Amino acid sequence: MTFSIVAADPEKGDWGVAVASKFPAVGAVVPSAKAGVGAVATQAWANTSFGPDGLALMGSGAGAQEALDQLVAADEGSEDRQVGFVDATGRAATFTGSKCMDWAGGLAGERFAAQGNILVGAGVVGELARAFTEAEGDLCDRLLAALLAGDAAGGDRRGRQSAALLVVREGGGYEGRNDRYVDVRVDDHPDAPKELARLFQVWDDTMLVRNDPLLAATPELVLDLQRRLAALGVFAGAQSGALDLATRAALEEWAGEYNLEGRLRDDDQLSQLLVREIRDVTPEVR
């Protein structure tokens, strides 16, 4: 009832899972990952213990294939299961039980494992693998590209309902307090993979600070911001065009309210996105 891909980029310190299904809230069932350890996708008649148990085994030194084999061997319902593993070094493994509904299967390649069941055909998994291998960018970009390619190839033969993207990175979560670098889900939507791509773009723009051109803090630009921040009620200092402490404090206050604190800087440059957002909420200021 699902197609997924697990993958790793050990050099950048990323591990993750992308998944889509004609099943509600698939992100609450299939993906598990831990920075520095690996990632797991458990699906079909999912045994959700495969996620934490697989990560525990890999965290104790087992490779992806070894960990997968141990869990499958101990599971009485293994022939109804489907699972993909990738470990800390990028070794990958996949398993499809003989009782999984057609079309069902998977393949493991360099630093990824792709699998699916109740699919329109083998081409879905093939497209997951091809797109991931050919895509550029960070692991999150490549996983999303793979998921969209699998969906374009037909995906789940029953239709679309939910999708999820999970990527972990040490200290990559909010304020560095956990490893959830990307954790985006679509629980119920008629075109879940495309909606996931839209939501990821929002997350990327707001939280990841990957694609944010910088602007020189010229007197003209700073004066414009001071006028707008004053209109927003967070700046009462002299509108001098200088990026002084009062102006920085006003930027910090406003950015914190709008979840853009990741765009603050301590040099003489300004985030283009931050500037754009301030201008968007003060259209009356000219």
Side-chain angles (χ1 to χ4, degrees):
M1 61 185 177
T2 304
F3 59 99
S4 69
I5 180 167
V6 298
D9 185 346
E11 285 75 23
K12 287 191 175 179
D14 291 347
W15 290 262
V17 184
V19 57
S21 182
K22 181 64 172 72
F23 178 89
V26 71
V29 177
V30 171
S32 298
K34 184 175 182 180
V37 174
V40 176
T42 178
Q43 56 201 50
W45 199 284
N47 183 338
T48 55
S49 68
F50 278 7
D53 291 350
L55 293 174
L57 286 169
M58 290 188 289
S60 296
Q65 188 68 62
E66 179 186 358
L68 185 154
D69 289 345
Q70 286 189 43
L71 294 181
V72 168
D75 182 12
E76 293 181 356
S78 62
E79 293 308 318
D80 292 306
R81 319 291 191 205
Q82 189 171 54
V83 61
F85 275 44
V86 65
D87 64 25
T89 64
R91 293 171 295 183
T94 186
F95 170 81
T96 299
S98 62
K99 294 182 182 179
C100 290
M101 298 181 194
D102 288 335
W103 186 89
L107 60 89
E110 185 177 358
R111 298 183 175 182
F112 77 89
Q115 48 279 316
N117 61 93
I118 320 184
L119 304 183
V120 298
V124 176
V125 170
E127 279 297 284
L128 285 168
R130 179 202 60 78
F132 178 79
T133 301
E134 295 179 1
E136 298 181 351
D138 291 337
L139 186 68
C140 52
D141 303 304
R142 299 174 68 197
L143 285 170
L144 185 58
L147 194 74
L148 293 173
D151 178 64
D156 189 319
R157 60 180 168 84
R158 301 164 305 163
R160 304 176 177 93
Q161 187 169 4
S162 66
L165 175 64
L166 173 66
V167 176
V168 296
R169 174 184 292 185
E170 185 67 34
Y174 184 66
E175 290 194 332
R177 296 181 185 276
N178 58 54
D179 67 358
R180 292 195 305 277
Y181 181 60
V182 178
D183 190 356
V184 183
R185 303 179 181 185
V186 176
D187 288 344
D188 184 29
H189 192 280
D191 200 353
K194 289 184 179 178
E195 177 65 4
L196 182 72
R198 185 190 71 81
L199 292 177
F200 171 71
Q201 188 61 59
V202 173
W203 180 261
D204 195 9
D205 287 346
T206 305
M207 304 300 294
L208 300 191
V209 198
R210 298 190 306 156
N211 306 304
D212 189 11
L214 299 177
L215 303 172
T218 63
E220 294 78 13
L221 175 55
V222 175
L223 179 59
D224 179 60
L225 291 177
Q226 289 171 335
R227 293 170 57 233
R228 294 175 186 276
L229 292 167
L232 291 167
V234 296
F235 180 67
Q239 296 181 21
S240 62
L243 190 57
D244 53 22
L245 290 177
T247 305
R248 291 183 186 275
L251 284 169
E252 182 176 352
E253 180 178 347
W254 185 85
E257 181 178 350
Y258 280 78
N259 304 312
L260 292 169
E261 57 270 21
R263 305 289 169 167
L264 296 167
R265 301 181 59 84
D266 57 7
D267 56 14
D268 291 326
Q269 299 183 94
L270 294 164
S271 156
Q272 180 172 284
L273 184 141
L274 184 63
V275 170
R276 185 172 73 239
E277 292 291 327
I278 293 172
R279 286 174 171 168
D280 283 349
V281 299
T282 54
E284 74 283 0
V285 179
R286 301 295 180 186

